[in-house]
Amino acid sequence: MNSYQASNKLEDQVLEVIFKVAGASPVKLHEPTFDGNEWTYIKECLDSTYVSSVGKFVDKFESDLVDFTGAKFAISVVNGTAALHIALKLSGVKDNDEVLVPALTFVATANAVTYCNAVPHFVDSEETTLGMDAEKLREYLKDTTEQKNGMCVNNLTGRVIRAMVPMHTFGHPANIEGLISVSKDFNIELIEDAAESLGSYYQGKHTGTFGQFGTLSFNGNKIITTGGGGAILTNNESLARHAKHITTVAKVPHAWEFSHDQVGYNYRMPNINAALGCAQLEQISSKIKSKRDLFKKYKSEFSKIKRIKLFEEPKQSESNYWLQSIILEKDQVGQRDLILKKTNDAGYMTRPAWNLLCDLAPYRKNPKMDLTTSKSIFLSLINIPSNFKP
Ligand SMILES: *Cc1c(COP(=O)(O)O)cnc(C)c1O
């Protein structure tokens, strides 16, 4: 590593910092860690034979999520995408509606809209939060929509804009207050994609608890994992009951009879996954602490490099720092791929942000607003290793 110290090249300097903080390679972007009761609970689950759809860990995991997030209800499901699908459906999103989603998000946010036969409509993000830009959205809606029968109608397409799905990017809370105000003023439902932000707070309140629904993911790369899994959060009791029912094949409870009162989904979280989730959630505070500590370590090193800054939580928020991000200065974006190549070749997994969804084959023709900031974030941001044992 000494050979890099004198280097003027940005990619060498970044590699040097990551080496200094993360130690010898290989280091993944986000490796799960299992330091608690995982084995105990999974053994207990196997011993009980209730590995599948029923069992006490599902109930416990849901009530632990309620305790941790402060949402009134939590419904666990097979993955975060399924959680979004059901949250959208129960928010009344239907055929030929439009749903506002950030262009800068994981593809699942838009796919879940498509599963409802609705149309993702792409919105720009802001540099301060990496989330949807509330003020720019307000101006855009003022110019391009009108209210008809209490609904927001897109003048260009004639379709109803039924919902918006802000996402808390890499764990950093979006400007949820501004977005809620836009959603109220334009009669648009708000669902938070909080897949990345378990343990992140906006003005002291947990992300995913502001909108009609919030959704979580417990995929293997998230801050806690159930292998695969997700959850729907809501404060509305009847919506919570409906969400539980529709994600458990809409079976009417009965001692032996198979009666289903609507087309349901087999989206329930298996008990064995919930067992893992219970053990993981017990450790959430220490996971968040170590991520916030890692941010500080990276910060003290990256502050020595001029042409880069480490992304910091927005002012009004406390972030879980799920993925650490470096942002290149505008005149340095040409260096992004050199940095990605150098670090990955050296065994340190780094990644660019997602390709903007409006550039993906299934979404190329979708409605969108000006996306200048999303494009510039995409070109200048790199995620660096964010979960490793020192
Ligand atoms: C992970 C993720 C999802 C979906 O979660 P899965 O559990 O993988 O289906 C949705 N949205 C965002 C922003 C995510 O990062």
Side-chain angles (χ1 to χ4, degrees):
M1 276 299 147
N2 284 338
S3 60
Y4 296 122
Q5 281 172 1
S7 174
N8 243 336
K9 288 187 185 160
L10 199 52
E11 66 268 31
D12 291 338
Q13 295 176 349
V14 170
L15 179 58
E16 196 184 342
V17 167
I18 296 176
F19 168 75
K20 200 161 174 190
V21 174
S25 65
V27 182
K28 298 215 174 94
L29 189 65
H30 200 288
E31 225 166 342
T33 51
F34 305 104
D35 298 326
N37 287 319
E38 285 86 354
W39 286 107
T40 313
Y41 293 171
I42 285 176
K43 180 167 192 317
E44 190 182 330
C45 181
L46 293 179
D47 289 343
S48 78
T49 78
Y50 289 99
V51 294
S52 191
S53 50
V54 282
K56 71 166 204 182
F57 287 110
V58 170
D59 295 337
K60 180 170 172 5
F61 188 48
E62 290 177 349
S63 86
D64 290 352
L65 284 171
V66 162
D67 290 345
F68 181 73
T69 61
K72 288 214 176 95
F73 304 94
I75 297 94
S76 58
V77 293
V78 281
N79 57 51
T81 314
L84 276 171
H85 178 194
I86 297 305
L88 287 160
K89 193 176 167 65
L90 297 191
S91 297
V93 173
K94 44 185 179 297
D95 292 24
N96 211 34
D97 284 344
E98 287 181 15
V99 175
L100 302 167
V101 300
L104 187 74
T105 178
F106 179 55
V107 69
T109 319
N111 284 349
V113 172
T114 308
Y115 300 163
C116 298
N117 295 320
V119 179
H121 182 153
F122 298 113
V123 173
D124 205 12
S125 295
E126 57 183 3
E127 274 170 6
T128 45
T129 65
L130 305 178
M132 272 163 69
D133 184 332
E135 285 325 303
K136 190 167 175 178
L137 178 60
R138 175 182 293 281
E139 292 311 309
Y140 175 67
L141 292 175
K142 257 190 220 162
D143 291 346
T144 60
T145 68
E146 59 189 84
Q147 294 290 313
K148 281 187 192 148
N149 309 319
M151 290 180 289
C152 181
V153 176
N154 181 339
N155 286 333
L156 270 137
T157 61
R159 288 186 290 239
V160 174
I161 300 181
R162 190 77 61 185
M164 65 167 79
V165 191
M167 193 275 286
H168 304 293
T169 312
F170 308 133
H172 304 295
N175 171 13
I176 200 71
E177 200 177 22
L179 291 164
I180 284 178
S181 152
V182 173
S183 87
K184 289 200 172 124
D185 292 347
F186 289 87
N187 290 311
I188 297 171
E189 286 294 348
L190 190 143
I191 297 147
E192 292 170 81
D193 183 346
E196 305 181 351
S197 64
L198 183 67
S200 298
Y201 299 82
Y202 180 90
Q203 292 181 355
K205 190 167 144 81
H206 197 282
T207 51
T209 65
F210 290 85
Q212 160 122 285
F213 289 103
T215 62
L216 304 173
S217 167
F218 311 112
N219 191 33
N221 62 343
K222 296 299 194 317
I223 189 161
I224 69 163
T225 185
T226 60
I232 301 166
L233 305 177
T234 182
N235 291 326
N236 180 311
E237 185 171 4
S238 73
L239 287 175
R241 220 180 279 130
H242 196 178
K244 188 72 185 174
H245 187 61
I246 201 171
T247 55
T248 54
V249 292
K251 186 175 183 297
V252 181
H254 190 277
W256 59 78
E257 198 177 79
F258 293 102
S259 175
H260 305 262
D261 58 7
Q262 68 184 111
V263 176
Y265 297 83
N266 184 13
Y267 277 178
R268 70 185 108 206
M269 177 182 282
N271 200 41
I272 192 163
N273 298 79
L276 189 51
C278 290
Q280 287 267 292
L281 195 53
E282 287 171 354
Q283 302 159 67
I284 184 90
S285 301
S286 68
K287 285 176 188 290
I288 292 166
K289 182 172 183 310
S290 73
K291 283 175 169 298
R292 294 182 64 85
D293 288 348
L294 179 59
F295 166 76
K296 286 185 205 142
K297 276 189 205 150
Y298 272 133
K299 192 181 168 190
S300 77
E301 296 301 326
F302 276 115
S303 63
K304 297 172 195 159
I305 305 183
K306 283 203 177 59
R307 296 163 286 174
I308 278 184
K309 75 174 177 23
L310 188 66
F311 189 84
E312 288 197 40
E313 65 194 352
K315 280 193 302 292
Q316 65 283 15
S317 298
E318 190 160 310
S319 174
N320 67 5
Y321 282 99
W322 170 58
L323 283 189
Q324 310 284 342
S325 319
I326 53 175
I327 314 268
L328 305 176
E329 279 183 4
K330 293 266 165 350
D331 59 347
Q332 297 296 322
V333 297
Q335 309 300 305
R336 187 193 72 167
D337 290 0
L338 291 175
I339 295 170
L340 285 165
K341 178 150 182 20
K342 187 94 196 183
T343 48
N344 281 289
D345 283 352
Y348 298 96
M349 194 167 156
T350 58
R351 290 289 181 264
W354 310 278
N355 285 11
L356 297 192
L357 300 190
C358 56
D359 293 332
L360 302 183
Y363 296 123
R364 244 169 235 155
K365 293 187 176 144
N366 282 50
K368 58 178 186 238
M369 66 190 274
D370 170 76
L371 297 169
T372 306
T373 307
S374 305
K375 277 184 198 134
S376 120
I377 295 170
F378 169 67
L379 291 173
S380 59
L381 185 145
I382 297 174
N383 291 126
I384 57 177
S386 302
N387 210 46
F388 45 81
K389 295 209 169 169

